[in-house]
Short mmCIF file of all heavy atoms in Angstrom, two decimals:
data_model
loop_
_atom_site.label_atom_id
_atom_site.label_comp_id
_atom_site.label_asym_id
_atom_site.label_seq_id
_atom_site.Cartn_x
_atom_site.Cartn_y
_atom_site.Cartn_z
N LYS A 1 -85.75 159.32 4.93
CA LYS A 1 -86.53 160.04 3.96
C LYS A 1 -86.49 159.51 2.60
O LYS A 1 -87.34 159.85 1.76
CB LYS A 1 -85.90 161.50 3.87
CG LYS A 1 -86.10 162.35 5.14
CD LYS A 1 -85.59 163.72 4.94
CE LYS A 1 -85.80 164.57 6.14
NZ LYS A 1 -85.29 165.91 6.07
N LYS A 2 -85.67 158.47 2.34
CA LYS A 2 -85.68 157.86 1.08
C LYS A 2 -86.89 156.96 0.78
O LYS A 2 -87.28 156.70 -0.29
CB LYS A 2 -84.36 157.00 0.90
CG LYS A 2 -83.16 157.80 0.74
CD LYS A 2 -81.96 156.93 0.54
CE LYS A 2 -80.73 157.77 0.39
NZ LYS A 2 -79.54 156.91 0.23
N CYS A 3 -87.53 156.56 1.90
CA CYS A 3 -88.74 155.68 1.79
C CYS A 3 -89.97 156.56 1.81
O CYS A 3 -91.04 156.05 1.97
CB CYS A 3 -88.73 154.64 2.83
SG CYS A 3 -88.74 155.24 4.50
N LEU A 4 -89.88 157.88 1.61
CA LEU A 4 -91.02 158.77 1.60
C LEU A 4 -91.14 159.58 0.28
O LEU A 4 -90.14 159.87 -0.31
CB LEU A 4 -90.83 159.74 2.74
CG LEU A 4 -90.74 159.20 4.20
CD1 LEU A 4 -90.33 160.22 5.19
CD2 LEU A 4 -92.03 158.50 4.60
N LEU A 5 -92.36 159.90 -0.05
CA LEU A 5 -92.69 160.83 -1.10
C LEU A 5 -92.66 162.23 -0.55
O LEU A 5 -93.20 162.46 0.50
CB LEU A 5 -93.97 160.51 -1.76
CG LEU A 5 -94.13 159.25 -2.59
CD1 LEU A 5 -95.63 159.15 -3.02
CD2 LEU A 5 -93.28 159.41 -3.83
N ARG A 6 -92.14 163.12 -1.35
CA ARG A 6 -92.11 164.53 -0.86
C ARG A 6 -92.95 165.42 -1.80
O ARG A 6 -92.79 165.33 -3.04
CB ARG A 6 -90.70 165.01 -0.89
CG ARG A 6 -90.65 166.37 -0.33
CD ARG A 6 -89.17 166.80 -0.06
NE ARG A 6 -89.07 168.15 0.50
CZ ARG A 6 -88.19 169.09 0.05
NH1 ARG A 6 -87.26 168.75 -0.79
NH2 ARG A 6 -88.21 170.27 0.60
N ILE A 7 -93.86 166.20 -1.22
CA ILE A 7 -94.67 167.22 -1.95
C ILE A 7 -94.16 168.53 -1.50
O ILE A 7 -94.04 168.84 -0.35
CB ILE A 7 -96.19 167.09 -1.56
CG1 ILE A 7 -96.70 165.64 -1.61
CG2 ILE A 7 -97.01 167.99 -2.33
CD1 ILE A 7 -96.72 165.07 -3.01
N VAL A 8 -93.78 169.36 -2.57
CA VAL A 8 -93.16 170.65 -2.34
C VAL A 8 -93.97 171.84 -2.95
O VAL A 8 -94.42 171.61 -4.07
CB VAL A 8 -91.66 170.65 -2.91
CG1 VAL A 8 -91.06 171.99 -2.69
CG2 VAL A 8 -90.89 169.51 -2.46
N LYS A 9 -94.00 172.91 -2.17
CA LYS A 9 -94.71 174.07 -2.65
C LYS A 9 -93.64 174.98 -3.29
O LYS A 9 -92.70 175.43 -2.60
CB LYS A 9 -95.37 174.83 -1.59
CG LYS A 9 -96.14 176.11 -2.14
CD LYS A 9 -96.89 176.75 -1.04
CE LYS A 9 -97.65 177.89 -1.58
NZ LYS A 9 -98.44 178.58 -0.53
N GLN A 10 -93.71 175.26 -4.59
CA GLN A 10 -92.79 176.13 -5.27
C GLN A 10 -93.62 177.14 -6.27
O GLN A 10 -94.44 176.60 -7.00
CB GLN A 10 -91.81 175.39 -6.08
CG GLN A 10 -90.73 174.64 -5.29
CD GLN A 10 -89.64 174.16 -6.13
OE1 GLN A 10 -89.95 173.63 -7.20
NE2 GLN A 10 -88.38 174.24 -5.74
N ASN A 11 -93.28 178.34 -6.12
CA ASN A 11 -93.91 179.40 -6.92
C ASN A 11 -95.43 179.20 -6.84
O ASN A 11 -96.17 179.49 -7.73
CB ASN A 11 -93.54 179.19 -8.40
CG ASN A 11 -92.05 179.35 -8.60
OD1 ASN A 11 -91.38 180.08 -7.88
ND2 ASN A 11 -91.52 178.61 -9.50
N GLY A 12 -95.94 178.99 -5.65
CA GLY A 12 -97.36 178.99 -5.36
C GLY A 12 -98.09 177.63 -5.72
O GLY A 12 -99.29 177.49 -5.54
N ASN A 13 -97.36 176.71 -6.27
CA ASN A 13 -97.91 175.42 -6.74
C ASN A 13 -97.21 174.34 -6.01
O ASN A 13 -96.05 174.29 -5.75
CB ASN A 13 -97.74 175.28 -8.24
CG ASN A 13 -98.41 176.30 -9.05
OD1 ASN A 13 -99.48 176.65 -8.80
ND2 ASN A 13 -97.67 176.80 -10.12
N TYR A 14 -98.01 173.26 -5.77
CA TYR A 14 -97.50 171.98 -5.14
C TYR A 14 -97.02 171.12 -6.16
O TYR A 14 -97.73 170.85 -7.20
CB TYR A 14 -98.45 171.38 -4.16
CG TYR A 14 -98.63 172.20 -2.92
CD1 TYR A 14 -99.56 173.21 -2.72
CD2 TYR A 14 -97.77 172.00 -1.83
CE1 TYR A 14 -99.78 173.90 -1.60
CE2 TYR A 14 -97.93 172.70 -0.69
CZ TYR A 14 -98.88 173.66 -0.52
OH TYR A 14 -99.08 174.43 0.56
N GLU A 15 -95.88 170.41 -6.02
CA GLU A 15 -95.35 169.46 -6.98
C GLU A 15 -94.85 168.26 -6.26
O GLU A 15 -94.43 168.32 -5.10
CB GLU A 15 -94.22 170.08 -7.75
CG GLU A 15 -94.56 171.32 -8.51
CD GLU A 15 -93.33 171.94 -9.20
OE1 GLU A 15 -92.21 171.47 -8.98
OE2 GLU A 15 -93.47 172.95 -9.79
N LEU A 16 -94.84 167.10 -6.91
CA LEU A 16 -94.28 165.91 -6.40
C LEU A 16 -92.77 166.03 -6.61
O LEU A 16 -92.27 166.12 -7.76
CB LEU A 16 -94.82 164.67 -7.07
CG LEU A 16 -94.30 163.31 -6.61
CD1 LEU A 16 -94.75 163.14 -5.14
CD2 LEU A 16 -94.96 162.24 -7.50
N ALA A 17 -91.96 166.03 -5.63
CA ALA A 17 -90.47 166.13 -5.78
C ALA A 17 -89.76 164.79 -5.97
O ALA A 17 -90.23 163.80 -5.28
CB ALA A 17 -89.96 166.88 -4.58
N HIS A 18 -88.86 164.79 -6.82
CA HIS A 18 -88.11 163.56 -7.04
C HIS A 18 -86.97 163.52 -6.14
O HIS A 18 -86.33 164.50 -5.76
CB HIS A 18 -87.64 163.54 -8.50
CG HIS A 18 -88.74 163.53 -9.41
ND1 HIS A 18 -89.48 162.48 -9.69
CD2 HIS A 18 -89.17 164.53 -10.28
CE1 HIS A 18 -90.42 162.80 -10.61
NE2 HIS A 18 -90.29 164.03 -10.97
N SER A 19 -86.56 162.28 -5.67
CA SER A 19 -85.53 162.14 -4.67
C SER A 19 -84.18 162.61 -5.19
O SER A 19 -83.33 163.03 -4.45
CB SER A 19 -85.46 160.64 -4.26
OG SER A 19 -85.20 159.83 -5.38
N TYR A 20 -83.99 162.50 -6.50
CA TYR A 20 -82.65 162.87 -7.09
C TYR A 20 -82.61 164.45 -7.26
O TYR A 20 -81.50 164.92 -7.67
CB TYR A 20 -82.37 162.17 -8.35
CG TYR A 20 -83.44 162.39 -9.45
CD1 TYR A 20 -83.48 163.49 -10.20
CD2 TYR A 20 -84.52 161.46 -9.62
CE1 TYR A 20 -84.51 163.71 -11.21
CE2 TYR A 20 -85.56 161.61 -10.47
CZ TYR A 20 -85.49 162.73 -11.34
OH TYR A 20 -86.51 162.98 -12.24
N ASN A 21 -83.67 165.16 -7.05
CA ASN A 21 -83.68 166.55 -7.39
C ASN A 21 -83.99 167.36 -6.15
O ASN A 21 -85.02 167.25 -5.58
CB ASN A 21 -84.87 166.84 -8.46
CG ASN A 21 -84.74 168.17 -9.02
OD1 ASN A 21 -83.76 168.87 -8.90
ND2 ASN A 21 -85.71 168.57 -9.84
N ARG A 22 -83.02 168.13 -5.73
CA ARG A 22 -83.18 168.83 -4.43
C ARG A 22 -83.98 170.12 -4.76
O ARG A 22 -83.73 170.92 -5.55
CB ARG A 22 -81.74 169.29 -3.93
CG ARG A 22 -81.89 169.97 -2.65
CD ARG A 22 -80.56 170.05 -2.05
NE ARG A 22 -80.81 170.54 -0.66
CZ ARG A 22 -79.90 170.44 0.28
NH1 ARG A 22 -78.73 169.87 0.08
NH2 ARG A 22 -80.14 170.93 1.48
N GLN A 23 -85.14 170.17 -4.04
CA GLN A 23 -86.07 171.35 -4.19
C GLN A 23 -86.26 171.94 -2.78
O GLN A 23 -86.44 171.28 -1.87
CB GLN A 23 -87.31 170.89 -4.83
CG GLN A 23 -87.16 170.37 -6.19
CD GLN A 23 -88.54 169.98 -6.82
OE1 GLN A 23 -89.41 169.52 -6.09
NE2 GLN A 23 -88.59 169.97 -8.09
N PHE A 24 -86.32 173.30 -2.79
CA PHE A 24 -86.55 174.04 -1.57
C PHE A 24 -88.00 174.50 -1.53
O PHE A 24 -88.56 174.69 -2.59
CB PHE A 24 -85.64 175.24 -1.45
CG PHE A 24 -84.21 174.74 -1.45
CD1 PHE A 24 -83.38 174.80 -2.51
CD2 PHE A 24 -83.65 174.26 -0.25
CE1 PHE A 24 -82.08 174.41 -2.46
CE2 PHE A 24 -82.33 173.87 -0.16
CZ PHE A 24 -81.50 173.96 -1.33
N GLY A 25 -88.53 174.69 -0.39
CA GLY A 25 -89.82 175.23 -0.26
C GLY A 25 -90.62 174.45 0.86
O GLY A 25 -90.14 173.54 1.43
N ARG A 26 -91.81 174.91 1.09
CA ARG A 26 -92.64 174.22 2.22
C ARG A 26 -92.95 172.81 1.59
O ARG A 26 -93.29 172.68 0.42
CB ARG A 26 -93.91 175.03 2.42
CG ARG A 26 -94.79 174.48 3.40
CD ARG A 26 -96.01 175.30 3.64
NE ARG A 26 -96.81 174.67 4.66
CZ ARG A 26 -98.03 175.11 4.94
NH1 ARG A 26 -98.51 176.14 4.34
NH2 ARG A 26 -98.69 174.45 5.86
N SER A 27 -92.96 171.80 2.48
CA SER A 27 -93.15 170.48 1.91
C SER A 27 -93.72 169.54 2.95
O SER A 27 -93.86 169.86 4.22
CB SER A 27 -91.81 169.92 1.49
OG SER A 27 -90.92 169.77 2.58
N MET A 28 -94.23 168.43 2.60
CA MET A 28 -94.68 167.40 3.46
C MET A 28 -94.29 166.05 2.90
O MET A 28 -93.92 165.96 1.70
CB MET A 28 -96.16 167.43 3.57
CG MET A 28 -96.92 167.09 2.35
SD MET A 28 -98.67 166.89 2.62
CE MET A 28 -98.70 165.40 3.63
N TYR A 29 -94.29 165.05 3.71
CA TYR A 29 -93.80 163.74 3.26
C TYR A 29 -94.96 162.70 3.38
O TYR A 29 -95.79 162.82 4.38
CB TYR A 29 -92.63 163.22 4.14
CG TYR A 29 -91.33 163.99 3.92
CD1 TYR A 29 -91.11 165.13 4.65
CD2 TYR A 29 -90.50 163.60 2.95
CE1 TYR A 29 -89.94 165.86 4.47
CE2 TYR A 29 -89.29 164.33 2.66
CZ TYR A 29 -89.07 165.45 3.41
OH TYR A 29 -87.82 166.11 3.27
N ILE A 30 -95.00 161.78 2.53
CA ILE A 30 -96.04 160.64 2.51
C ILE A 30 -95.27 159.37 2.43
O ILE A 30 -94.29 159.23 1.60
CB ILE A 30 -96.94 160.74 1.37
CG1 ILE A 30 -97.67 162.10 1.34
CG2 ILE A 30 -97.98 159.60 1.38
CD1 ILE A 30 -98.33 162.31 -0.02
N CYS A 31 -95.59 158.29 3.23
CA CYS A 31 -94.91 157.06 3.13
C CYS A 31 -95.20 156.46 1.73
O CYS A 31 -96.29 156.69 1.17
CB CYS A 31 -95.27 156.14 4.29
SG CYS A 31 -96.90 155.48 4.27
N LYS A 32 -94.29 155.65 1.24
CA LYS A 32 -94.48 155.12 -0.07
C LYS A 32 -95.35 153.76 -0.08
O LYS A 32 -95.51 153.21 -1.11
CB LYS A 32 -93.10 154.75 -0.71
CG LYS A 32 -92.33 156.02 -1.04
CD LYS A 32 -91.06 155.63 -1.74
CE LYS A 32 -90.25 156.85 -2.22
NZ LYS A 32 -88.96 156.51 -2.79
N ASN A 33 -95.78 153.36 1.09
CA ASN A 33 -96.57 152.12 1.24
C ASN A 33 -97.89 152.46 0.45
O ASN A 33 -98.45 153.49 0.59
CB ASN A 33 -96.91 152.07 2.75
CG ASN A 33 -97.62 150.68 2.98
OD1 ASN A 33 -98.43 150.28 2.21
ND2 ASN A 33 -97.34 150.14 4.15
N SER A 34 -98.28 151.38 -0.28
CA SER A 34 -99.52 151.58 -1.13
C SER A 34 -100.67 151.85 -0.32
O SER A 34 -101.61 152.67 -0.82
CB SER A 34 -99.76 150.39 -1.99
OG SER A 34 -99.92 149.25 -1.24
N SER A 35 -100.87 151.38 0.89
CA SER A 35 -102.01 151.67 1.74
C SER A 35 -102.11 153.13 2.16
O SER A 35 -103.10 153.76 2.23
CB SER A 35 -102.12 150.69 2.87
OG SER A 35 -101.04 150.84 3.81
N CYS A 36 -100.85 153.67 2.46
CA CYS A 36 -100.80 155.10 2.84
C CYS A 36 -101.23 156.05 1.65
O CYS A 36 -101.92 156.97 1.80
CB CYS A 36 -99.34 155.47 3.27
SG CYS A 36 -98.87 154.68 4.80
N ILE A 37 -100.62 155.59 0.51
CA ILE A 37 -100.99 156.45 -0.74
C ILE A 37 -102.42 156.35 -1.07
O ILE A 37 -103.09 157.41 -1.33
CB ILE A 37 -100.07 155.93 -1.78
CG1 ILE A 37 -98.59 156.32 -1.58
CG2 ILE A 37 -100.50 156.60 -3.14
CD1 ILE A 37 -97.64 155.86 -2.59
N GLU A 38 -103.01 155.21 -0.96
CA GLU A 38 -104.50 155.07 -1.25
C GLU A 38 -105.28 155.91 -0.34
O GLU A 38 -106.31 156.51 -0.72
CB GLU A 38 -104.88 153.58 -1.15
CG GLU A 38 -104.39 152.77 -2.28
CD GLU A 38 -104.65 151.28 -2.12
OE1 GLU A 38 -105.43 150.90 -1.26
OE2 GLU A 38 -104.10 150.43 -2.81
N LYS A 39 -104.91 155.89 0.96
CA LYS A 39 -105.60 156.74 2.01
C LYS A 39 -105.57 158.18 1.71
O LYS A 39 -106.51 159.00 1.79
CB LYS A 39 -105.03 156.45 3.40
CG LYS A 39 -105.75 157.03 4.46
CD LYS A 39 -105.18 156.66 5.83
CE LYS A 39 -105.81 157.30 6.96
NZ LYS A 39 -105.20 156.84 8.24
N VAL A 40 -104.32 158.64 1.32
CA VAL A 40 -104.11 160.06 0.98
C VAL A 40 -105.01 160.51 -0.22
O VAL A 40 -105.68 161.51 -0.20
CB VAL A 40 -102.71 160.40 0.70
CG1 VAL A 40 -102.48 161.70 -0.01
CG2 VAL A 40 -101.82 160.31 1.94
N ILE A 41 -105.02 159.65 -1.23
CA ILE A 41 -105.78 159.91 -2.40
C ILE A 41 -107.35 159.84 -2.10
O ILE A 41 -108.06 160.78 -2.51
CB ILE A 41 -105.49 158.97 -3.63
CG1 ILE A 41 -103.97 159.17 -4.02
CG2 ILE A 41 -106.42 159.15 -4.81
CD1 ILE A 41 -103.48 158.17 -4.94
N LYS A 42 -107.72 158.89 -1.50
CA LYS A 42 -109.21 158.55 -1.26
C LYS A 42 -109.84 159.69 -0.41
O LYS A 42 -110.91 160.18 -0.65
CB LYS A 42 -109.42 157.28 -0.58
CG LYS A 42 -110.88 156.91 -0.32
CD LYS A 42 -110.97 155.55 0.30
CE LYS A 42 -112.41 155.22 0.58
NZ LYS A 42 -112.61 153.92 1.24
N LYS A 43 -109.18 160.12 0.63
CA LYS A 43 -109.64 161.12 1.61
C LYS A 43 -109.17 162.52 1.29
O LYS A 43 -109.52 163.50 2.04
CB LYS A 43 -109.21 160.70 2.97
CG LYS A 43 -109.84 159.48 3.48
CD LYS A 43 -109.51 159.20 4.93
CE LYS A 43 -110.22 157.97 5.41
NZ LYS A 43 -110.03 157.82 6.83
N LYS A 44 -108.39 162.80 0.19
CA LYS A 44 -107.87 164.07 -0.23
C LYS A 44 -107.18 164.73 0.91
O LYS A 44 -107.37 165.88 1.30
CB LYS A 44 -109.02 164.96 -0.72
CG LYS A 44 -109.81 164.34 -1.90
CD LYS A 44 -109.05 164.48 -3.13
CE LYS A 44 -109.97 164.03 -4.35
NZ LYS A 44 -109.28 163.78 -5.51
N LEU A 45 -106.28 163.99 1.58
CA LEU A 45 -105.62 164.49 2.77
C LEU A 45 -104.70 165.60 2.54
O LEU A 45 -104.50 166.41 3.50
CB LEU A 45 -104.93 163.26 3.46
CG LEU A 45 -105.72 162.24 4.10
CD1 LEU A 45 -104.95 161.08 4.77
CD2 LEU A 45 -106.68 162.81 5.23
N LEU A 46 -104.13 165.71 1.42
CA LEU A 46 -103.17 166.85 1.13
C LEU A 46 -103.97 168.15 1.24
O LEU A 46 -103.39 169.11 1.79
CB LEU A 46 -102.63 166.78 -0.21
CG LEU A 46 -101.75 165.55 -0.54
CD1 LEU A 46 -101.21 165.63 -1.91
CD2 LEU A 46 -100.56 165.48 0.44
N ASN A 47 -105.23 168.22 0.80
CA ASN A 47 -105.99 169.47 0.96
C ASN A 47 -106.20 169.83 2.34
O ASN A 47 -106.09 170.98 2.68
CB ASN A 47 -107.33 169.29 0.18
CG ASN A 47 -107.32 169.12 -1.31
OD1 ASN A 47 -106.29 169.27 -1.83
ND2 ASN A 47 -108.38 168.70 -1.84
N LYS A 48 -106.49 168.82 3.23
CA LYS A 48 -106.75 169.08 4.63
C LYS A 48 -105.44 169.47 5.35
O LYS A 48 -105.43 170.36 6.13
CB LYS A 48 -107.38 167.82 5.27
CG LYS A 48 -108.74 167.57 4.67
CD LYS A 48 -109.34 166.26 5.22
CE LYS A 48 -110.61 165.88 4.56
NZ LYS A 48 -111.17 164.64 4.99
N ILE A 49 -104.44 168.72 5.10
CA ILE A 49 -103.19 168.96 5.84
C ILE A 49 -102.48 170.27 5.51
O ILE A 49 -102.08 171.08 6.36
CB ILE A 49 -102.25 167.77 5.64
CG1 ILE A 49 -102.72 166.42 6.35
CG2 ILE A 49 -100.83 168.11 6.22
CD1 ILE A 49 -102.03 165.25 5.90
N LEU A 50 -102.46 170.54 4.21
CA LEU A 50 -101.79 171.75 3.74
C LEU A 50 -102.68 172.95 3.73
O LEU A 50 -102.23 174.06 3.49
CB LEU A 50 -101.21 171.53 2.38
CG LEU A 50 -100.10 170.47 2.24
CD1 LEU A 50 -99.75 170.16 0.83
CD2 LEU A 50 -98.92 170.82 3.00
N LYS A 51 -104.00 172.75 4.04
CA LYS A 51 -104.97 173.74 4.01
C LYS A 51 -104.88 174.62 2.78
O LYS A 51 -104.81 175.89 2.72
CB LYS A 51 -104.77 174.74 5.21
CG LYS A 51 -104.99 173.98 6.51
CD LYS A 51 -104.79 174.90 7.68
CE LYS A 51 -104.90 174.11 8.90
NZ LYS A 51 -104.46 174.85 10.11
N ALA A 52 -104.84 173.85 1.65
CA ALA A 52 -104.79 174.51 0.29
C ALA A 52 -105.43 173.58 -0.69
O ALA A 52 -105.73 172.39 -0.44
CB ALA A 52 -103.33 174.61 -0.14
N GLN A 53 -105.90 174.16 -1.85
CA GLN A 53 -106.49 173.34 -2.99
C GLN A 53 -105.32 172.70 -3.73
O GLN A 53 -104.57 173.39 -4.44
CB GLN A 53 -107.33 174.28 -3.79
CG GLN A 53 -108.14 173.42 -4.78
CD GLN A 53 -109.18 172.53 -4.11
OE1 GLN A 53 -109.70 172.69 -3.11
NE2 GLN A 53 -109.32 171.35 -4.80
N ILE A 54 -105.34 171.35 -3.69
CA ILE A 54 -104.31 170.59 -4.40
C ILE A 54 -104.93 170.07 -5.64
O ILE A 54 -106.06 169.51 -5.62
CB ILE A 54 -103.71 169.51 -3.49
CG1 ILE A 54 -103.24 169.93 -2.15
CG2 ILE A 54 -102.64 168.63 -4.27
CD1 ILE A 54 -102.18 170.98 -2.29
N SER A 55 -104.29 170.26 -6.79
CA SER A 55 -104.80 169.86 -8.05
C SER A 55 -104.96 168.28 -8.19
O SER A 55 -104.17 167.55 -7.59
CB SER A 55 -103.97 170.42 -9.24
OG SER A 55 -102.75 169.69 -9.23
N GLU A 56 -105.83 167.88 -8.93
CA GLU A 56 -106.01 166.46 -9.27
C GLU A 56 -104.86 165.83 -9.87
O GLU A 56 -104.54 164.65 -9.66
CB GLU A 56 -107.28 166.24 -10.15
CG GLU A 56 -108.58 166.41 -9.37
CD GLU A 56 -108.78 165.41 -8.26
OE1 GLU A 56 -108.40 164.21 -8.40
OE2 GLU A 56 -109.31 165.87 -7.22
N ASP A 57 -104.00 166.64 -10.58
CA ASP A 57 -102.77 166.23 -11.24
C ASP A 57 -101.78 165.65 -10.23
O ASP A 57 -101.17 164.62 -10.44
CB ASP A 57 -102.13 167.39 -12.06
CG ASP A 57 -100.91 166.96 -12.80
OD1 ASP A 57 -101.10 165.94 -13.49
OD2 ASP A 57 -99.96 167.68 -12.82
N ILE A 58 -101.76 166.27 -9.00
CA ILE A 58 -100.73 165.79 -8.01
C ILE A 58 -101.29 164.45 -7.50
O ILE A 58 -100.40 163.55 -7.36
CB ILE A 58 -100.73 166.85 -6.82
CG1 ILE A 58 -100.10 168.19 -7.34
CG2 ILE A 58 -99.88 166.29 -5.66
CD1 ILE A 58 -98.69 167.98 -7.80
N TYR A 59 -102.57 164.30 -7.20
CA TYR A 59 -103.09 163.04 -6.77
C TYR A 59 -102.90 161.99 -7.81
O TYR A 59 -102.57 160.85 -7.48
CB TYR A 59 -104.61 163.26 -6.46
CG TYR A 59 -104.83 163.91 -5.14
CD1 TYR A 59 -105.37 165.25 -5.13
CD2 TYR A 59 -104.51 163.31 -3.94
CE1 TYR A 59 -105.61 165.83 -3.98
CE2 TYR A 59 -104.77 164.03 -2.70
CZ TYR A 59 -105.30 165.33 -2.72
OH TYR A 59 -105.51 165.98 -1.59
N THR A 60 -103.04 162.33 -9.11
CA THR A 60 -102.80 161.32 -10.20
C THR A 60 -101.27 160.89 -10.19
O THR A 60 -101.08 159.74 -10.28
CB THR A 60 -103.18 161.99 -11.49
OG1 THR A 60 -104.52 162.42 -11.50
CG2 THR A 60 -103.02 160.99 -12.66
N LYS A 61 -100.45 161.78 -10.10
CA LYS A 61 -99.00 161.50 -9.97
C LYS A 61 -98.66 160.60 -8.84
O LYS A 61 -97.89 159.65 -8.86
CB LYS A 61 -98.17 162.80 -9.95
CG LYS A 61 -98.15 163.47 -11.33
CD LYS A 61 -97.25 164.72 -11.21
CE LYS A 61 -97.26 165.54 -12.49
NZ LYS A 61 -96.49 166.81 -12.41
N ILE A 62 -99.27 160.86 -7.66
CA ILE A 62 -99.05 160.10 -6.54
C ILE A 62 -99.53 158.64 -6.77
O ILE A 62 -98.92 157.67 -6.42
CB ILE A 62 -99.67 160.73 -5.29
CG1 ILE A 62 -98.94 161.99 -4.86
CG2 ILE A 62 -99.65 159.70 -4.06
CD1 ILE A 62 -99.74 162.78 -3.83
N GLY A 63 -100.72 158.54 -7.32
CA GLY A 63 -101.31 157.28 -7.65
C GLY A 63 -100.46 156.51 -8.63
O GLY A 63 -100.27 155.27 -8.53
N GLU A 64 -99.90 157.20 -9.66
CA GLU A 64 -98.98 156.54 -10.67
C GLU A 64 -97.79 156.02 -9.96
O GLU A 64 -97.28 154.93 -10.32
CB GLU A 64 -98.63 157.52 -11.72
CG GLU A 64 -99.76 157.91 -12.62
CD GLU A 64 -99.42 158.95 -13.64
OE1 GLU A 64 -98.29 159.50 -13.57
OE2 GLU A 64 -100.30 159.35 -14.46
N PHE A 65 -97.29 156.71 -9.04
CA PHE A 65 -96.07 156.31 -8.27
C PHE A 65 -96.35 155.05 -7.55
O PHE A 65 -95.58 154.10 -7.51
CB PHE A 65 -95.64 157.35 -7.29
CG PHE A 65 -94.39 157.03 -6.52
CD1 PHE A 65 -93.16 157.20 -7.09
CD2 PHE A 65 -94.52 156.41 -5.34
CE1 PHE A 65 -92.02 156.72 -6.46
CE2 PHE A 65 -93.41 155.97 -4.66
CZ PHE A 65 -92.09 156.19 -5.21
N ALA A 66 -97.57 154.95 -6.91
CA ALA A 66 -97.93 153.74 -6.21
C ALA A 66 -98.08 152.53 -7.07
O ALA A 66 -97.66 151.44 -6.71
CB ALA A 66 -99.25 153.98 -5.50
N THR A 67 -98.46 152.66 -8.35
CA THR A 67 -98.71 151.56 -9.26
C THR A 67 -97.35 151.08 -9.75
O THR A 67 -97.16 150.03 -10.19
CB THR A 67 -99.61 151.85 -10.42
OG1 THR A 67 -99.23 153.09 -11.08
CG2 THR A 67 -101.08 152.09 -9.91
N ASN A 68 -96.41 152.08 -9.92
CA ASN A 68 -95.03 151.74 -10.41
C ASN A 68 -94.16 151.08 -9.37
O ASN A 68 -93.16 150.48 -9.81
CB ASN A 68 -94.31 153.05 -10.95
CG ASN A 68 -95.04 153.60 -12.14
OD1 ASN A 68 -95.69 152.80 -12.92
ND2 ASN A 68 -94.85 154.88 -12.40
N GLU A 69 -94.39 151.22 -8.16
CA GLU A 69 -93.57 150.66 -7.15
C GLU A 69 -93.86 149.19 -6.93
O GLU A 69 -94.77 148.67 -7.09
CB GLU A 69 -93.72 151.44 -5.79
CG GLU A 69 -93.00 152.72 -5.81
CD GLU A 69 -91.54 152.60 -5.96
OE1 GLU A 69 -90.86 151.97 -5.11
OE2 GLU A 69 -91.01 153.27 -6.80
#
């Protein structure tokens, strides 16, 4: 799980969870590989998988993570 990004639903909103911060709630994992992240962003896969409207802010944070790694 350390090599995965975690998206967590808390208080009705989805957030990018940090590995050092334990958060509870419905969640999903994305591999940290840049090609995986690009695919998720390009195809808006979070919206489809979670069946919810995910804000552009989350996709931006995921993209920033990919550029920082």
Side-chain angles (χ1 to χ4, degrees):
K1 290 185 180 181
K2 290 182 180 181
C3 61
L4 301 171
L5 285 176
R6 185 172 179 221
I7 309 296
V8 181
K9 182 177 183 180
Q10 287 190 320
N11 303 325
N13 298 318
Y14 286 93
E15 301 174 359
L16 184 62
H18 299 286
S19 59
Y20 57 83
N21 195 6
R22 187 166 185 162
Q23 295 180 336
F24 298 100
R26 183 177 178 188
S27 63
M28 68 167 295
Y29 292 91
I30 304 169
C31 70
K32 290 182 179 179
N33 185 326
S34 61
S35 63
C36 291
I37 292 174
E38 289 173 14
K39 185 177 179 180
V40 166
I41 294 170
K42 182 178 178 184
K43 295 186 178 187
K44 304 285 186 193
L45 290 178
L46 296 180
N47 293 349
K48 294 175 186 176
I49 293 169
L50 297 172
K51 297 178 184 172
Q53 186 63 35
I54 306 302
S55 70
E56 286 297 319
D57 186 45
I58 296 297
Y59 286 108
T60 303
K61 288 179 182 178
I62 293 171
E64 288 173 0
F65 181 84
T67 57
N68 290 337
E69 283 297 305

